[in-house]
Amino acid sequence: MENALYWFWLSLKLGPGNSQFVGLLEHFLTPRSIYEATEEELLTFKKEFGEATVERLFDKNLDEAYSLEEYCVRKRVKILHYGAKDYPKQLTNLKNPPIILYARGRTDALAGKLCIGVVGAREMTDYGRDAAYRMGYELAAAGAVVVSGLALGVDSAAACGALDAGGLTVAVLGSGLDRVYPAEHKRIAAEIEERGILLSEYPPTAGPTRASFPIRNRIISGLSQGTLVVEATARSGALHTARDAVLQGRDLFALPGNVDSVTADGTNALIRDGAGAVTCAQDILENYAYLYRDAIDPTAARRVSVCSRFAPGKLLAHGVAETSRAARAKEKRDDRLSQALHFKKRIDGKTVREMSGETEYPVYDAKGPKATSAAPVAEMPKHEPDRSKEALGSLPADCQEVFEAMPIGRPISADELCRAGFDISQLMIAFTMLEMNGLITALPGGLYCRR
């Protein structure tokens, strides 16, 4: 690539998402001309481009640029600089286009293609997962390119659908190409590299930061003629992509959701404010049938509706989790809670554990003990040794912590302890074990008291 070194230098000095880049290029025409400009020349643009931007260009050290160029050659990372042949034409009309895109895959395959961005919540519900997979599959089967951020949740589910349909998909990373984030998506990233395109504005070894993802989002919407938000809360990062799409003059679509679900608050609000409501891929494709009649077949989305349905294992085949982290954590908590409640549940006055014989309590005999004249009646000791400390010491630390937090002399509810910072599943397990060891008593109304 001609003058590649100066493109690297300029991208490193200005950083991702810099809105002064286009203006600088209009004045100086090439990155090399910007590099060769004297401080006096650059200072004349201080008012126009800002003092901070101009001062960064005073640094003419090329060591980092040399290292980056050498790395990209060695690792076979493709470089798409602004204005290059394979640089996506959709991005050239952005206010702040990427100076350089680092790429792997079929970078020449986007020409003449309809690109649709599919984004949404990381903590997706089953509804969001199923819809994202179906939309990705149907869009790709009809000939559209599915663009996503490869994030947890909706983004990766849509990418899996596109791959299963045999279509082209683009993943825009918020980190370097060699620092795939999240790390568990390395397998699907490798598949996209082979059958689609991996793109990033960040140098290949750059790690993710909190700021890198909102900056990345403008590329997802900028590449796409339309962006679909599948599922989003009222404060979801997917709404940043939706906002970028509107500001870039792109089309915006949203999938309606349950009005009682917080994960649909964002999408329902977008529809209320003017986004196109869609229920299937054909609703999107019909908007572009005339412009892309040689590239897409909107009716194909209907023909593959059976194949596009999500089934367990379809995401796992690409190394993608089929439930969100929050859902998996909730399942784990619910499992622990159900185990605790299982042993507390009473049937005919007995716990399940007592009915199975797993109990230390003596079995009550209604007839009473048999009287014998041979055996003398033992005298009961006046003071039985207190074994409560010994019993408490044998329990896990969580149970001891709950016991110590309970007041002496008055009952307390689980809700009150939850407000003090305890987890409900931890409490129910602790209550069960403490009661079984005779350290607390369960009272009516969900109250517990130390013995």
Side-chain angles (χ1 to χ4, degrees):
M1 183 177 66
E2 185 181 359
N3 293 323
L5 190 64
Y6 301 104
W7 283 102
F8 286 121
W9 170 80
L10 185 61
S11 67
L12 290 169
K13 295 308 168 192
L14 296 184
N18 193 296
S19 59
Q20 308 300 336
F21 159 64
V22 175
L24 282 166
L25 207 58
E26 286 176 353
H27 279 284
F28 291 95
L29 301 180
T30 67
R32 182 166 186 168
S33 298
I34 300 174
Y35 175 81
E36 293 175 346
T38 64
E39 290 189 11
E40 290 74 16
E41 288 180 273
L42 292 170
L43 284 171
T44 60
F45 297 99
K46 183 171 68 172
K47 186 175 181 180
E48 184 175 353
F49 300 120
E51 187 174 353
T53 297
V54 169
E55 287 182 353
R56 284 200 292 271
L57 299 175
F58 289 169
D59 182 3
K60 307 297 184 179
N61 191 316
L62 293 173
D63 289 348
E64 192 176 359
Y66 273 121
S67 298
L68 186 52
E69 183 179 31
E70 186 275 333
Y71 184 93
C72 291
V73 171
R74 179 162 47 87
K75 294 289 188 176
R76 298 183 180 180
V77 177
K78 299 177 183 178
I79 305 302
L80 313 180
H81 68 75
Y82 182 83
K85 179 183 177 181
D86 289 344
Y87 187 92
K89 300 299 183 288
Q90 303 96 307
L91 298 178
T92 56
N93 65 354
L94 301 189
K95 178 183 177 183
N96 52 350
I99 300 172
I100 281 180
L101 284 172
Y102 302 90
R104 284 198 174 107
R106 302 167 55 192
T107 55
D108 58 344
L110 290 182
K113 297 285 188 180
L114 168 66
C115 296
I116 300 295
V118 183
V119 297
R122 284 176 168 82
E123 305 295 351
M124 63 180 176
T125 63
D126 290 350
Y127 168 78
R129 175 200 61 203
D130 296 358
Y133 180 86
R134 178 167 56 87
M135 287 292 185
Y137 192 107
E138 293 178 0
L139 286 168
V145 178
V146 174
V147 183
S148 76
L150 207 64
L152 292 167
V154 165
D155 289 42
S156 52
C160 289
L163 289 170
D164 286 349
L168 184 67
T169 182
V170 178
V172 186
L173 306 185
S175 58
L177 296 180
D178 291 339
R179 291 284 299 277
V180 173
Y181 180 86
E184 55 261 43
H185 284 178
K186 286 182 180 179
R187 190 199 304 179
I188 188 174
E191 291 184 47
I192 293 174
E193 179 182 337
E194 183 180 346
R195 297 161 54 187
I197 309 170
L198 283 180
L199 291 176
S200 178
E201 188 179 10
Y202 298 92
T205 58
T209 66
R210 184 179 292 273
S212 62
F213 297 101
I215 294 173
R216 176 275 312 269
N217 290 344
R218 81 190 194 288
I219 301 177
I220 297 175
S221 56
L223 282 171
S224 309
Q225 282 79 1
T227 296
L228 168 66
V229 184
V230 172
E231 190 173 48
T233 64
R235 300 185 66 181
S236 171
L239 300 186
H240 291 289
T241 312
R243 177 178 176 273
D244 288 335
V246 173
L247 293 176
Q248 293 162 355
R250 308 307 201 251
D251 297 322
L252 181 62
F253 306 97
L255 195 75
N258 188 329
V259 294
D260 293 325
S261 173
V262 293
T263 56
D265 287 347
T267 48
N268 290 341
L270 290 176
I271 293 170
R272 180 197 65 205
D273 295 339
V278 300
T279 58
C280 62
Q282 191 168 349
D283 292 343
I284 297 173
L285 295 166
E286 286 175 348
N287 291 277
Y288 307 99
Y290 178 75
L291 292 173
Y292 294 90
R293 55 181 145 187
D294 295 330
I296 63 171
D297 177 11
T299 61
R302 290 287 188 191
R303 294 199 298 271
V304 300
S305 60
V306 174
C307 301
S308 67
R309 292 174 186 166
F310 172 79
K314 287 191 173 183
L315 302 193
L316 291 175
H318 302 283
V320 174
E322 297 188 343
T323 56
S324 68
R325 285 175 176 171
R328 293 197 298 274
K330 182 177 183 299
E331 287 173 4
K332 187 175 180 180
R333 290 196 302 271
D334 289 348
D335 184 57
R336 290 171 60 196
L337 180 58
S338 66
Q339 289 180 23
L341 293 177
H342 173 74
F343 291 118
K344 284 188 67 63
K345 185 177 180 181
R346 292 186 172 272
I347 302 174
D348 295 333
K350 296 182 179 180
T351 66
V352 174
R353 177 168 286 185
E354 288 169 348
M355 292 180 68
S356 66
E358 297 177 12
T359 177
E360 297 176 0
Y361 301 119
V363 177
Y364 176 71
D365 187 351
K367 296 180 181 179
K370 295 180 180 179
T372 61
S373 56
V377 178
E379 185 178 344
M380 293 295 292
K382 294 182 179 179
H383 299 287
E384 191 170 328
D386 182 9
R387 294 189 175 87
S388 61
K389 289 185 179 180
E390 181 182 342
L392 184 61
S394 66
L395 296 179
D398 285 355
C399 296
Q400 297 181 34
E401 187 179 354
V402 171
F403 183 79
E404 296 298 338
M406 296 177 67
I408 299 174
R410 76 170 178 87
I412 190 170
S413 67
D415 288 341
E416 189 175 342
L417 286 170
C418 281
R419 289 194 292 271
F422 289 97
D423 182 78
I424 184 61
S425 58
Q426 176 192 356
L427 285 175
M428 297 310 297
I429 292 172
F431 284 153
T432 300
M433 298 185 74
L434 290 169
E435 186 179 3
M436 288 172 58
N437 282 273
L439 295 169
I440 64 172
T441 301
L443 303 175
L447 298 175
Y448 297 85
C449 183
R450 285 174 60 157
R451 285 186 178 177

